[in-house]
Amino acid sequence: MKSRHLVAFSLGIAAFALVPTLATAVEGTTRLFPAISSEAARLSIHGAADLEAMAPLIRDFQEMAPDIAIEYSDYVTNDLHQKASAACEQNTPLGDLWLSSSLDQLVSLANNGCASAYNSSETAQVPKWANWRDEVFGFTFEPAVFVYNMRYVPAGDVPRTRAELADLLRRRLDYYERRVGTYDIRTSGVGYLLAFSDARQATATYGRLLESMSRADVKVSCCTGSILQEIASGRLYLAYNMIGSYSYAAAKANPDLKVVIPRDYTLILSRGVLIPKTSQRPDLARRFLDYLLSKRGQDVARRKAFFFAEKGDIPEGVDGPPTLGELSFVQPIRIGPALLAAQDEAQRRRFIDDWSHSMLSQPASSP
């Protein structure tokens, strides 16, 4: 029964507290950005970051390095992690640079000896919470947000905290049933990381929200893009824990979509990057990494790619405070050894099993 599953899940998360277009990426889909002038070298990037978000950064880097061609291979997070783990174990090349929003997976790879350390004047400027052992660096500042379609969610219904979202789904279950979306943490690495972080941040509140979403028969998906497309079409009305950069890009393209920064607490992802030990062109990887961390790269990321930044105003039209960097309710997910707990296989399996029982196993009509 749901109550029994919810109790089990609440106990599980209490234990953890103690110890794309927006299309789905196809594994290994690769695009070549030809050198602006005669090609002298080629950099290979394997990333779980939508091509549309990375393209402005790649093109701007090539303005500075016109003789470098760049191959960008786009993955979903779990697929990249599996490929990278296998390449590391077999000591075979898989590109020169790895990018992912699943920070726990990158930290796990680095902990397993898959990364090359790098120091420069640019890496020295990275905040301590976004730099682990000079091997994994965060280069973005992206909030996890609520997204809704204003055609279907009245102004009085718009939630701004998790408690308000849980109350809304209880109060108007008949209206929002099967109209709410979130990540399927069984298939989404970033979805799993956000759920894991939620569970550690606010056990009671998150458990109550899960129960409400279960009653509303929440629809789950691997990828931000597919959920945002469902909201744009009106098949879903709102979504929970979406990546802010992709959500804002969708809202810019469709004025019916609105983005809300939660006010109880806001998880911040810093999309991570590492240089694999098997890189064939570590010199080019270091140049691109320095560019991502540079003032120029950060400015392009804020204006054209990922839209949010630790310093500066939030994007126009986002429902939230004027800035994010100094607010007490902003909770960056620290890149560091604490994330290894998220990748412990036994704990990960238990967490996903408990989440699945709480969210997916019970019909919405059950008492």
Side-chain angles (χ1 to χ4, degrees), residues 261 263 308-316 318-327 329:
I261 294 173
R263 309 300 205 276
F308 294 84
E310 185 172 7
K311 299 177 182 178
D313 296 342
I314 64 171
E316 182 179 358
V318 173
D319 183 340
T323 60
L324 289 175
E326 304 300 323
L327 297 174
F329 62 77

Side-chain angles (χ1 to χ4, degrees), residues 176-348:
Y176 288 102
E177 186 174 359
R178 300 180 64 82
R179 301 296 185 180
V180 180
T182 194
Y183 290 111
D184 185 342
I185 73 169
R186 299 167 300 179
T187 58
S188 169
V190 68
Y192 170 77
L193 175 59
L194 290 171
F196 182 86
S197 300
D198 266 331
R200 300 178 72 182
Q201 183 70 32
T203 299
T205 301
Y206 188 57
R208 184 163 174 262
L209 176 58
L210 288 187
E211 183 180 23
S212 295
M213 289 197 292
S214 175
R215 288 178 179 273
D217 196 9
V218 65
K219 312 312 293 181
V220 297
S221 176
C222 71
C223 311
T224 309
S226 59
I227 297 172
L228 293 174
Q229 288 174 347
E230 290 288 285
I231 295 178
S233 71
R235 289 186 289 271
L236 294 179
Y237 297 166
L238 60 88
Y240 173 72
N241 254 5
M242 297 292 97
I243 296 177
S245 56
Y246 297 161
S247 301
Y248 183 68
K252 286 181 65 178
N254 184 344
D256 290 336
L257 301 190
K258 301 299 177 183
V259 175
V260 176
I261 294 173
R263 309 300 205 276
D264 46 350
Y265 66 88
T266 299
L267 294 174
I268 300 292
L269 283 169
S270 185
R271 200 169 298 262
V273 55
L274 68 77
I275 301 172
K277 67 177 183 180
T278 56
S279 171
Q280 301 295 286
R281 292 301 307 260
D283 55 329
L284 299 183
R286 290 191 289 266
R287 286 180 65 181
F288 192 78
L289 172 57
D290 276 340
Y291 164 75
L292 291 177
L293 300 176
S294 70
K295 185 179 184 302
R296 175 168 173 164
Q298 290 288 295
D299 183 59
V300 172
R302 183 181 60 80
R303 290 186 296 106
K304 299 182 179 180
F306 297 103
F307 306 113
F308 294 84
E310 185 172 7
K311 299 177 182 178
D313 296 342
I314 64 171
E316 182 179 358
V318 173
D319 183 340
T323 60
L324 289 175
E326 304 300 323
L327 297 174
S328 60
F329 62 77
V330 169
Q331 301 294 330
I333 298 175
R334 296 185 66 88
I335 302 176
L339 289 179
L340 294 174
Q343 283 297 307
D344 178 81
E345 186 56 35
Q347 294 191 74
R348 185 175 187 276

Side-chain angles (χ1 to χ4, degrees), residues 54-70:
M54 289 302 302
L57 290 161
I58 291 172
R59 293 192 181 101
D60 187 62
F61 173 79
Q62 289 180 311
E63 292 292 329
M64 302 167 55
D67 60 345
I68 296 178
I70 296 179

Side-chain angles (χ1 to χ4, degrees), residues 31-104:
R31 176 175 170 183
L32 175 64
F33 291 80
I36 295 174
S37 61
S38 298
E39 179 179 331
R42 182 170 295 196
L43 171 68
S44 174
I45 302 173
H46 288 241
D50 283 359
L51 180 60
E52 284 67 29
M54 289 302 302
L57 290 161
I58 291 172
R59 293 192 181 101
D60 187 62
F61 173 79
Q62 289 180 311
E63 292 292 329
M64 302 167 55
D67 60 345
I68 296 178
I70 296 179
E71 288 181 345
Y72 185 80
S73 297
D74 189 12
Y75 297 78
V76 294
T77 49
N78 283 355
D79 288 344
L80 175 60
H81 183 236
Q82 291 168 6
K83 288 281 190 180
S85 296
C88 178
E89 182 177 347
Q90 297 162 14
N91 200 35
T92 57
L94 183 74
D96 304 307
L97 204 64
W98 297 340
L99 301 171
S100 181
S101 54
S102 291
L103 299 172
D104 53 328

Side-chain angles (χ1 to χ4, degrees), residues 106-114 132-133 135 340:
L106 289 185
V107 168
S108 177
L109 288 166
N111 190 62
N112 290 337
C114 304
W132 190 48
R133 303 192 317 196
E135 294 178 350
L340 294 174

